[in-house]
Amino acid sequence: MFELSIPLDATGPMWSTSSTRVRPMHVMTVLPDQWGPEMHGTFGTDDWLFLPLQSGTQWDSLAHVGYDEYFYNGVPMSEVNAGGAARNAVASILPGVVGRGVLLDIPRLMGVDRLDGGQPITPADLEAAEQAQGVRLTTVDVLLLRTGWRAKALQDGWQGWHDVEPGLTLECAEWLHEREVSAVASDNHGIEVLPTTASGPVGHPLHFVVIRDMGMPLGEIFDLEALADDCAEDGQYEVFFSAPPLRLPRAVGSPISPIAVK
Amino acid sequence: MFELSIPLDATGPMWSTSSTRVRPMHVMTVLPDQWGPEMHGTFGTDDWLFLPLQSGTQWDSLAHVGYDEYFYNGVPMSEVNAGGAARNAVASILPGVVGRGVLLDIPRLMGVDRLDGGQPITPADLEAAEQAQGVRLTTVDVLLLRTGWRAKALQDGWQGWHDVEPGLTLECAEWLHEREVSAVASDNHGIEVLPTTASGPVGHPLHFVVIRDMGMPLGEIFDLEALADDCAEDGQYEVFFSAPPLRLPRAVGSPISPIAVK
Amino acid sequence: MFELSIPLDATGPMWSTSSTRVRPMHVMTVLPDQWGPEMHGTFGTDDWLFLPLQSGTQWDSLAHVGYDEYFYNGVPMSEVNAGGAARNAVASILPGVVGRGVLLDIPRLMGVDRLDGGQPITPADLEAAEQAQGVRLTTVDVLLLRTGWRAKALQDGWQGWHDVEPGLTLECAEWLHEREVSAVASDNHGIEVLPTTASGPVGHPLHFVVIRDMGMPLGEIFDLEALADDCAEDGQYEVFFSAPPLRLPRAVGSPISPIAVK
Amino acid sequence: MFELSIPLDATGPMWSTSSTRVRPMHVMTVLPDQWGPEMHGTFGTDDWLFLPLQSGTQWDSLAHVGYDEYFYNGVPMSEVNAGGAARNAVASILPGVVGRGVLLDIPRLMGVDRLDGGQPITPADLEAAEQAQGVRLTTVDVLLLRTGWRAKALQDGWQGWHDVEPGLTLECAEWLHEREVSAVASDNHGIEVLPTTASGPVGHPLHFVVIRDMGMPLGEIFDLEALADDCAEDGQYEVFFSAPPLRLPRAVGSPISPIAVK
């Protein structure tokens, strides 16, 4: 059994305070020494969490990005307003993201510890990894994509981690579509290579194609290190994968605690 | 596949504002109409959640209750302070609560839609349910205890729901220990019968014995209705159960999105 | 010196959890017993507040309500979006709401402890109070309007307090305009009589006329009881009034701690 | 009339996410485009604020620091627990911090734009400023201490701003006591010189003496630039000062919107 999440706390990747995504805040609201003699020696505790829903290991829902006035499935942009996502919310992923997961370990394929920022992963790379590992992604599988970018954060800290990253090229969208993959989860922060290698003015083109056009949720900021080591050891890259989002009926993202069972 | 959570939003059970547990608050921080022409027609959204960690379907960690100055495993009460739980935090449950779950459907055993507030469930009831259902709880199983109390909330609303409930008697602690059950999850708010049928001045005695003495996390406010219907239909009460908490390194509770696979 | 605010805490008027306005939440983030020997016996504390900005004694800014696609001063409704109020924000009230305040004590005029829910206050009532008290509102004065509705909450609690209230009729808008009053603050929750006595389908018509058309901020949920007693005693109804909002550059409301000096 | 606060928003001084003090978060909870035809063209907005209470222009209450197990006035440290400050809370400052304020402009005295980090201000400096300005602090006056450190943040940003600062030496505590000053407010983040010039192991010794021993609240992170320019122009350094904290019955700090009237 492997835990694929990073800690959801003030050590998280949202190191900058310049945006609306800050680190999760945990506060205690009830502590043991508040209780008096009416409790006969017993005591309890309680706590709160305040978090940007995409501030750690998480799903992007289909209400997270869109273009040309629509989200996935023809949902008008006005359906996501201050009241939340009336459609395509993260709870609508439930209970789908439970099933076969296949790890593709690209750094290991390339004989490196981790890829570099800006290093593209192409459909040919994905297929080479499949062949090297002896697996093949197929209908409703979840692709667990290791780039090694999580390891970079462990070594160097989070600062600068969001500026660039290794990841999928735009061409991979078609490949994911052909294989009928149900979701992609990765150890970087946005699945796709940054800066993008695609032409055109859009900074994160794969997001828009995969989420808005193909209806595929993206799992980000996973920790795949321990799982990858184990897979390399036993040559077994298939897992039972489970990462249900919280039942947030109007949210556009959700923290998750994904597990892989071998 | 069955989803065992209730919605984690402003419809939740914390209807009163008289305590530190209020309903989860979801707020949108980025909306589609904030994006300008520099985005070339693309747009994104983002959101925050503010929640008492025990305000919906959730785990009580081993740092949630204690007595006589200690939490489970001899952890002094001072180890849970304003900085959170230095030990016994909810993340320490990971990845344990994944494995065989067994539903015991007590209302169905008793031929009623749901039990009443204050109605006790005894070890004899648990064994009668096992016999009627043809299952037996054993080492590391998770007991999924249906009392029908969730159905009451669906019918009558949450007001008053916390004042009383059907649930386990204090004697069940020993039964759970003998069977080496790893965790109990129920569709009520506190597992145990309220008001308690035990003698003595403590209001929730089972909590202290099970969590503090036995080291067993408690899963509360589950929705077991659909699963119970399905089990009654096919006579199969065993499931693969998965309910990992969020990786909150210092929290005393965690919202969860539990699933059961048959 | 008189303090005109109610406590900004979990005893506040937002007793219902059915809306986005809940009670302010105060949480301690640092406590004395967290500090170790490196502090040489010294210790510090720290805390957070989470609050709907209009959950207690507060100003409604000119970005709080509008109609027919505009806020005050021709600001398009799109200028208030998920990023906050780009114009008319509550900080733009600064430093204006400091100057002469005049208390009009309507219950005292009418010889009652407090007005009833739904009881209208007309321009004639305001002028009768002026005459009885020997004061006259004039340019840039702040009207401190006592209805006694705060006293009702102290007696009966907050439940139901928002459903009805005594307050100004729609006709008072013109009166306030003629007198060139700069702001109105009251001890009820919405200044105007509820249910409204005005014809037409709009529930809070005075809000829209006063805030959107006249550019007048509204101060709500004040505590005028002690001040009113003092004024009745010495017959002096003029005060130096100061209630600057917090410098919130994009907010539509602000908690305040108003004072009156006689 | 002068506004002495800095913006209470995400541009604030808490630039680091490594502590429990982060920048205030403002979120919109109701927006104009959420309203439908039932509103007949009218619309409203609403918002929330989440803030460390000492994340901007603010008062340190007498429950903020202590030593040797007590806060000011013999309040045991256990009186400030997860439920907040049972005594010495910031609301207990009300309505006191309203009255005569005297600006002492130390950089102008020394003929510089601003003091440097680590530069001490001694009792002799305070008296020299009094003489140069023709004012004298006396019973219940508020000392408004300009160091120019706010100007540094405007020039260089907040990073590093908390590491050092110009400010009062420990000897000033006795001077403040003799003059019977009621409070000190400054344009730096902690009133006293950092690193401290006092001997001994305590990092902020003036805090403990002034707050815990003398019962004097400290006002921090004020903006005194415009007021200082005006005072230099007309030679008038006395103001009517008003900075009531929010009525937070259990908080240890409070954001404020201080004003000075000349």
Side-chain angles (χ1 to χ4, degrees):
Chain A
M1 182 114 46
F2 296 89
E3 257 299 316
L4 309 182
S5 57
I6 67 165
L8 189 64
D9 65 8
T11 66
M14 304 301 148
W15 64 276
S16 164
T17 56
S18 64
S19 81
T20 53
R21 285 198 194 160
V22 296
R23 286 167 161 165
M25 290 277 134
H26 174 245
V27 289
M28 297 301 303
T29 52
V30 180
L31 287 176
D33 56 10
Q34 279 175 281
W35 299 97
E38 81 284 2
M39 289 288 283
H40 305 280
T42 64
F43 48 84
T45 64
D46 214 358
D47 47 3
W48 276 62
L49 190 69
F50 307 90
L51 81 163
L53 287 163
Q54 302 186 27
S55 58
T57 306
Q58 49 101 5
W59 285 118
D60 285 0
S61 79
L62 305 185
H64 177 46
V65 299
Y67 67 87
D68 287 355
E69 302 186 359
Y70 288 93
F71 290 99
Y72 176 67
N73 208 18
V75 171
M77 58 188 271
S78 61
E79 295 276 308
V80 183
N81 57 36
R87 294 165 63 189
N88 287 355
V90 76
S92 66
I93 297 176
L94 287 167
V97 197
V98 180
R100 194 174 84 131
V102 175
L103 177 75
L104 294 186
D105 187 341
I106 310 301
R108 211 163 306 250
L109 171 75
M110 299 189 176
V112 295
D113 285 342
R114 57 176 177 82
L115 303 193
D116 288 326
Q119 189 170 348
I121 299 170
T122 65
D125 295 329
L126 297 175
E127 296 196 352
E130 284 185 327
Q131 280 197 302
Q133 298 176 189
V135 287
R136 184 177 166 83
L137 279 140
T138 183
T139 305
V140 307
D141 282 353
V142 176
L143 167 57
L144 302 175
L145 176 73
R146 182 170 176 262
T147 69
W149 203 236
R150 165 62 177 152
K152 164 147 169 57
L154 291 173
Q155 287 163 8
D156 304 341
W158 297 111
Q159 192 157 355
W161 193 74
H162 292 74
D163 298 336
V164 296
E165 69 179 9
L168 298 182
T169 63
L170 184 54
E171 290 72 32
C172 293
E174 191 166 348
W175 189 88
L176 294 168
H177 183 64
E178 280 166 7
R179 291 300 183 84
E180 299 184 330
V181 164
S182 64
V184 182
S186 181
D187 60 354
N188 60 12
H189 55 88
I191 305 296
E192 66 191 290
V193 61
L194 294 179
T196 185
T197 55
S199 60
V202 174
H204 296 68
L206 187 74
H207 259 67
F208 297 100
V209 173
V210 170
I211 293 179
R212 194 270 210 180
D213 296 342
M214 293 163 57
M216 183 182 295
L218 297 181
E220 296 169 346
I221 318 178
F222 277 50
D223 186 343
L224 302 172
E225 299 303 289
L227 176 63
D229 285 346
D230 185 86
C231 292
E233 201 166 305
D234 69 4
Q236 169 58 269
Y237 287 84
E238 295 173 57
V239 298
F240 172 78
F241 174 75
S242 178
L246 294 177
R247 187 177 286 280
L248 298 162
R250 290 195 159 244
V252 304
S254 174
I256 47 177
S257 192
I259 56 167
V261 186
K262 287 180 72 168
Chain B
M1 182 116 42
F2 296 88
E3 258 298 316
L4 308 183
S5 58
I6 68 165
L8 189 64
D9 65 8
T11 65
M14 303 302 148
W15 66 275
S16 164
T17 56
S18 63
S19 81
T20 54
R21 285 198 195 159
V22 295
R23 286 169 162 164
M25 289 278 136
H26 173 245
V27 289
M28 297 301 303
T29 52
V30 180
L31 287 176
D33 57 10
Q34 280 175 280
W35 300 97
E38 81 284 1
M39 289 288 282
H40 306 279
T42 64
F43 48 83
T45 63
D46 215 358
D47 47 3
W48 277 61
L49 189 69
F50 308 89
L51 82 164
L53 286 163
Q54 302 186 26
S55 57
T57 306
Q58 50 101 3
W59 285 117
D60 284 1
S61 79
L62 306 185
H64 178 46
V65 299
Y67 66 88
D68 286 356
E69 302 186 0
Y70 289 94
F71 290 99
Y72 175 67
N73 208 17
V75 170
M77 60 187 269
S78 62
E79 296 274 309
V80 183
N81 57 35
R87 293 166 63 189
N88 287 354
V90 77
S92 65
I93 298 176
L94 286 167
V97 197
V98 179
R100 194 174 84 131
V102 174
L103 177 75
L104 294 186
D105 188 340
I106 310 301
R108 210 162 307 248
L109 170 76
M110 298 188 174
V112 296
D113 285 341
R114 56 176 177 83
L115 303 193
D116 287 327
Q119 188 170 348
I121 299 170
T122 66
D125 295 328
L126 297 175
E127 296 196 353
E130 284 185 326
Q131 280 198 302
Q133 298 176 190
V135 287
R136 184 176 167 85
L137 279 140
T138 183
T139 305
V140 308
D141 282 353
V142 175
L143 167 57
L144 302 175
L145 176 74
R146 180 169 177 264
T147 69
W149 203 237
R150 164 62 177 152
K152 163 146 169 59
L154 290 173
Q155 287 162 9
D156 304 341
W158 297 111
Q159 193 158 356
W161 193 74
H162 292 74
D163 298 336
V164 297
E165 68 178 11
L168 299 182
T169 63
L170 183 54
E171 291 71 32
C172 293
E174 192 167 347
W175 189 88
L176 294 168
H177 182 64
E178 281 166 6
R179 292 297 184 87
E180 300 183 328
V181 165
S182 63
V184 182
S186 181
D187 60 353
N188 61 10
H189 55 88
I191 307 295
E192 67 191 292
V193 62
L194 295 178
T196 185
T197 55
S199 61
V202 174
H204 297 67
L206 187 73
H207 259 67
F208 297 100
V209 173
V210 170
I211 292 178
R212 193 270 209 180
D213 296 343
M214 293 164 58
M216 184 182 294
L218 297 181
E220 297 169 346
I221 317 178
F222 278 50
D223 187 342
L224 302 172
E225 298 303 289
L227 176 63
D229 285 346
D230 185 86
C231 292
E233 202 165 305
D234 69 5
Q236 170 59 268
Y237 287 84
E238 296 173 57
V239 299
F240 171 78
F241 174 74
S242 177
L246 294 177
R247 187 177 285 279
L248 298 163
R250 290 193 159 246
V252 304
S254 174
I256 47 176
S257 192
I259 56 166
V261 186
K262 288 180 71 168
Chain C
M1 182 116 42
F2 296 88
E3 258 299 317
L4 308 182
S5 57
I6 67 165
L8 189 64
D9 65 7
T11 65
M14 304 301 148
W15 65 275
S16 165
T17 56
S18 64
S19 81
T20 53
R21 285 198 195 159
V22 296
R23 285 168 162 165
M25 290 278 137
H26 173 244
V27 290
M28 297 302 301
T29 52
V30 180
L31 287 176
D33 57 10
Q34 280 175 279
W35 300 98
E38 80 285 1
M39 289 287 281
H40 305 279
T42 64
F43 48 84
T45 63
D46 215 357
D47 46 3
W48 277 61
L49 189 69
F50 308 90
L51 82 164
L53 286 164
Q54 301 187 26
S55 58
T57 306
Q58 50 100 4
W59 285 118
D60 284 1
S61 78
L62 306 185
H64 177 46
V65 299
Y67 66 88
D68 286 356
E69 302 186 359
Y70 289 94
F71 289 99
Y72 175 67
N73 207 17
V75 171
M77 58 187 271
S78 61
E79 295 276 309
V80 184
N81 56 36
R87 293 164 64 189
N88 288 355
V90 77
S92 65
I93 297 177
L94 285 168
V97 196
V98 179
R100 194 175 84 131
V102 175
L103 178 75
L104 294 186
D105 187 340
I106 310 301
R108 210 162 307 248
L109 171 75
M110 298 188 176
V112 296
D113 285 342
R114 57 176 177 82
L115 303 193
D116 288 327
Q119 188 170 348
I121 299 170
T122 65
D125 296 329
L126 297 175
E127 296 196 353
E130 284 186 325
Q131 279 198 303
Q133 298 177 190
V135 288
R136 183 176 167 85
L137 280 140
T138 182
T139 305
V140 309
D141 282 353
V142 175
L143 167 57
L144 303 176
L145 177 73
R146 180 169 178 262
T147 69
W149 203 237
R150 164 62 176 152
K152 162 143 171 61
L154 290 173
Q155 288 163 6
D156 305 340
W158 296 112
Q159 193 158 356
W161 193 74
H162 292 74
D163 298 337
V164 297
E165 69 178 10
L168 298 181
T169 63
L170 183 54
E171 290 72 32
C172 293
E174 191 166 347
W175 189 89
L176 294 168
H177 183 65
E178 281 166 7
R179 291 298 184 87
E180 300 185 327
V181 165
S182 64
V184 183
S186 182
D187 61 352
N188 62 11
H189 55 88
I191 307 294
E192 67 192 291
V193 61
L194 295 177
T196 185
T197 55
S199 60
V202 175
H204 297 68
L206 187 73
H207 260 66
F208 298 100
V209 173
V210 171
I211 292 179
R212 193 270 209 180
D213 296 344
M214 293 164 57
M216 185 182 293
L218 297 181
E220 297 169 345
I221 318 179
F222 278 51
D223 186 342
L224 302 172
E225 298 303 290
L227 175 63
D229 286 346
D230 185 86
C231 293
E233 202 165 304
D234 69 4
Q236 169 58 270
Y237 288 84
E238 296 173 59
V239 298
F240 171 78
F241 174 75
S242 178
L246 294 176
R247 187 177 285 281
L248 297 163
R250 290 192 160 247
V252 304
S254 175
I256 46 177
S257 191
I259 56 166
V261 186
K262 288 180 71 168
Chain D
M1 182 116 42
F2 296 88
E3 258 300 316
L4 308 183
S5 57
I6 67 165
L8 189 63
D9 65 8
T11 66
M14 305 301 149
W15 65 274
S16 164
T17 56
S18 63
S19 81
T20 53
R21 285 199 195 158
V22 296
R23 286 168 162 165
M25 290 278 137
H26 174 244
V27 290
M28 298 301 303
T29 52
V30 179
L31 287 176
D33 57 10
Q34 279 176 281
W35 300 98
E38 81 284 2
M39 289 287 282
H40 306 279
T42 64
F43 49 83
T45 64
D46 215 359
D47 47 4
W48 276 62
L49 189 69
F50 308 90
L51 82 164
L53 286 164
Q54 301 186 28
S55 57
T57 306
Q58 50 99 6
W59 285 118
D60 284 1
S61 78
L62 306 184
H64 177 47
V65 299
Y67 66 88
D68 286 356
E69 302 186 359
Y70 289 93
F71 290 99
Y72 176 67
N73 209 16
V75 170
M77 59 187 271
S78 62
E79 295 276 307
V80 183
N81 56 36
R87 294 165 64 190
N88 288 354
V90 77
S92 66
I93 298 177
L94 286 166
V97 197
V98 179
R100 194 174 83 132
V102 175
L103 177 75
L104 293 186
D105 188 339
I106 310 301
R108 210 162 307 247
L109 171 75
M110 298 188 175
V112 295
D113 285 342
R114 56 177 177 81
L115 303 192
D116 287 326
Q119 188 169 349
I121 298 170
T122 65
D125 295 328
L126 298 174
E127 296 196 353
E130 284 186 326
Q131 279 196 304
Q133 298 176 189
V135 288
R136 184 177 167 84
L137 280 140
T138 183
T139 305
V140 308
D141 282 353
V142 175
L143 167 57
L144 302 176
L145 177 74
R146 180 168 177 262
T147 70
W149 204 238
R150 165 62 177 153
K152 165 147 169 59
L154 290 173
Q155 286 162 9
D156 304 341
W158 297 111
Q159 193 158 356
W161 193 75
H162 291 74
D163 297 337
V164 297
E165 69 178 10
L168 299 182
T169 63
L170 183 54
E171 290 71 32
C172 294
E174 191 166 346
W175 189 88
L176 294 167
H177 183 63
E178 281 165 7
R179 291 299 182 86
E180 300 184 327
V181 164
S182 64
V184 182
S186 182
D187 60 353
N188 61 11
H189 55 88
I191 307 294
E192 66 191 293
V193 61
L194 294 179
T196 185
T197 55
S199 59
V202 174
H204 297 67
L206 187 73
H207 259 67
F208 297 101
V209 173
V210 171
I211 293 179
R212 194 269 211 181
D213 296 343
M214 292 164 57
M216 184 182 294
L218 297 181
E220 297 169 344
I221 318 178
F222 277 51
D223 186 342
L224 302 172
E225 299 303 290
L227 176 62
D229 286 346
D230 186 86
C231 293
E233 201 166 306
D234 69 3
Q236 170 58 268
Y237 288 84
E238 296 173 57
V239 299
F240 172 79
F241 174 74
S242 178
L246 294 177
R247 188 177 284 281
L248 298 162
R250 291 195 158 245
V252 303
S254 175
I256 47 177
S257 192
I259 56 166
V261 185
K262 288 181 71 168

